[in-house]
């Protein structure tokens, strides 16, 4: 069983909440081994804010939504990645920043933005599945949603790479402002 980041999106916001509730039951029946699950909303106010509407840590360690991979993904989508993708004005990427490095690191985020469009609400789940049929049945057949599975390690690597780019850019910006 490989750990996956599972993105579930729907044509109606309320179905994400229904899927959240029903996925909890699937987890209890051991249909999958969940780690974290969150309902994520992408604002349609032109500011491209991604917010966690509801969050569950299946591990019992009481991690907050900010402490896990889902929280980091959403934080980057609403912060540095917005600048990297040109949503906002600002000097996040220093003049010396390698454009290819930035492009390479934004892959998973561009994919998520495509899947969770403006005004959309989706369900993100980090889990291991022995069999993907129970979740597919719930999301696609019962709720008419779409489901996408990404490799956890690839997503985690993209998150770390983006955090490093953001950190080095901030340090470059600080150094440049001290020189002025």
């Amino acid at each position: 069983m490989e750990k996956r980041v599972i993105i579930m999106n729907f044509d109606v916001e309320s179905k994400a909440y229904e899927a959240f509730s029903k996925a909890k039951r699937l987890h209890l029946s051991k249909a999958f081994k969940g780690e974290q699950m969150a309902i994520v909303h992408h604002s349609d106010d032109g500011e491209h804010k991604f917010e966690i509407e509801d969050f569950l840590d299946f591990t019992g360690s009481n991690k907050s939504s900010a402490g896990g991979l889902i929280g980091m993904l959403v934080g980057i989508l609403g912060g540095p990645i917005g600048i990297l993708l040109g949503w906002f004005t600002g000097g996040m990427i220093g003049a010396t920043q390698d454009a290819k490095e930035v492009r390479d690191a934004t892959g998973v985020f561009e994919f998520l933005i495509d899947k969770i469009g403006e005004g959309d609400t989706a369900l993100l789940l980090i889990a291991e599945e022995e069999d993907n049929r129970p979740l597919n049945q719930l999301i696609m057949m019962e709720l008419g949603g779409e489901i996408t599975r990404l490799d956890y390690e690839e997503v985690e690597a993209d998150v770390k790479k983006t955090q490093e780019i953001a950190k080095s850019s901030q340090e470059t910006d600080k150094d440049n402002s001290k020189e002025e």
Side-chain angles (χ1 to χ4, degrees), residues 60-71:
S61 63
N62 291 325
K63 287 183 187 171
S64 71
S65 61
L69 184 65
I70 289 175

Side-chain angles (χ1 to χ4, degrees), residues 41-50 87 113-121:
H41 179 73
H42 181 177
S43 71
D44 61 356
D45 59 5
E47 294 189 26
H48 295 281
K49 290 180 186 168
F50 282 79
W87 283 341
I113 291 161
D114 183 53
K115 289 292 177 191
I116 310 171
E118 285 185 73
D120 289 346
T121 301

